[in-house]
Structure formats: C-alpha cells, structure tokens
C-alpha cells in the first residue's frame, strides 16, 4: 500500500531571483501476510522506499547573460530489508549550475555536482547478511558549450 502527498511551489522574489521546491512524503507498507525468514512482514515499511524526498532550488539571474542556480536535494532514510532490521540514513546533496549566454549563438554551462563531496548511496539494500551500496558520484564538474549555427 502506498499513500502520500506531493508538493511543488515556486516564488519569484523579483525579476532576477526565485526559489522553487519539490517534495514528496509517502508511506509504503506491506499489507498482506507475507512470511519472510519466519517473520510476518505485514505492516512493515517496504524496503528501499524512502518516506521523504525533496529539493529546493534558488536561482538568480545575475545579468541578462548569466543565470546561476543553487540546488539542495534530500533523500530521506529507508529500510534496507523487508524485516526492517537495517536502515540507510539517507543523504543530502548540493549542486551549483551556471549558464552564460556569450552570444546568441554560443551558450556555456558549468555544473558542479555534489559540492560538499558527500559520500552517499544511489541505492542501498541488505540481503544474505550483507549490506550492498550502489555508490553515488563524488564531486564533479561538467562544462559544456552549445553552438547554434545562424540560419
């Protein structure tokens, strides 16, 4: 059984500054009598399903040619197994994105992901007595240039 709520909001402080948020809170629960390892897991939370996920973006158009956005993302804790005996604490990530329009033909983007170099798992689980972590990406920088041919 899955029950929850999603929320999205955006507020424009001025022509140049905005804030946006996206969140979801949900309960994911086993609702039938399943026997696993001699335990009935009815009523347990479904493993690898976080209750909370959300992000907040703060954007600023510094000039007509330069836009920057700081993004905070949070994934909440979740159980790693159907017995709810092992738990992942969740993680928070911070990203920075810059977009510079050098000309009508050339746009340069710089994206710095995971600014704080947080060690995190994209996904984690527990089985056969072992923890398994699918490791998330460390801090990384991507710079792209987009050239549009004049028509």
């Amino acid at each position: 059984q899955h029950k929850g709520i999603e929320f999205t909001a955006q507020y424009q402080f001025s022509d140049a500054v905005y804030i946006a948020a996206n969140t979801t809170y949900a309960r994911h629960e086993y609702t039938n009598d399943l026997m696993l390892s001699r335990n009935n897991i009815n009523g347990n939370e479904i493993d690898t399903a976080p209750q909370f996920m959300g992000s907040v973006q703060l954007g600023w158009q510094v000039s007509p040619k330069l836009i920057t956005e700081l993004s905070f993302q949070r994934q909440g804790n979740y159980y790693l197994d159907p017995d709810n005996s092992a738990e992942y604490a969740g993680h928070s990530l911070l990203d920075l994105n810059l977009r510079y329009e050098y000309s009508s033909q050339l746009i340069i983007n710089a994206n710095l992901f995971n600014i704080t170099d947080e060690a995190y798992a994209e996904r984690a689980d527990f089985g056969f007595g072992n923890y398994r972590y699918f490791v998330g990406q460390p801090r990384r920088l991507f710079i792209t240039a987009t050239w549009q041919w004049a028509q």
Side-chain angles (χ1 to χ4, degrees):
Q1 179 176 319
H2 308 276
K3 292 182 181 179
I5 187 168
E6 294 181 7
F7 176 77
T8 300
Q10 182 168 335
Y11 182 76
Q12 196 79 31
F13 291 104
S14 68
D15 289 342
V17 179
Y18 68 88
I19 190 167
N22 306 289
T23 62
T24 179
Y25 177 82
R27 297 280 303 184
H28 311 280
E29 217 173 78
Y30 292 106
T31 57
N32 51 357
D33 290 322
L34 291 172
M35 295 301 289
L36 190 65
S37 302
R38 298 184 208 145
N39 296 323
N40 187 340
I41 62 171
N42 188 356
N44 285 8
E45 291 185 35
I46 296 176
D47 47 303
T48 69
Q51 287 183 1
F52 177 82
M53 293 189 304
S55 67
V56 176
Q57 297 79 37
L58 179 61
W60 177 29
Q61 184 161 1
V62 179
S63 72
K65 294 183 173 276
L66 178 63
I67 298 172
T68 182
E69 184 178 85
L70 186 64
S71 176
F72 173 78
Q73 301 162 46
R74 174 73 187 149
Q75 179 176 299
N77 62 311
Y78 57 84
Y79 288 107
L80 301 178
D81 63 332
D83 285 325
N84 292 174
S85 63
E87 190 172 356
Y88 174 66
H91 59 266
S92 299
L93 300 174
L94 194 61
D95 301 329
L96 179 65
N97 304 297
L98 302 171
R99 180 181 185 272
Y100 181 68
E101 188 176 328
Y102 180 79
S103 70
S104 61
Q105 292 178 301
L106 178 62
I107 297 171
I108 299 169
N109 289 292
N111 301 300
L112 180 58
F113 297 107
N114 193 3
I115 293 172
T116 60
D117 205 21
E118 174 80 13
Y120 71 100
E122 288 283 342
R123 189 174 82 77
D125 61 26
F126 182 83
F128 306 106
N130 296 308
Y131 290 91
R132 251 186 356 167
Y133 296 99
F134 298 85
V135 179
Q137 294 289 314
R139 180 186 309 121
R140 61 213 182 277
L141 174 65
F142 291 91
I143 298 174
T144 60
T146 304
W147 177 266
Q148 181 176 329
W149 295 102
Q151 302 228 357

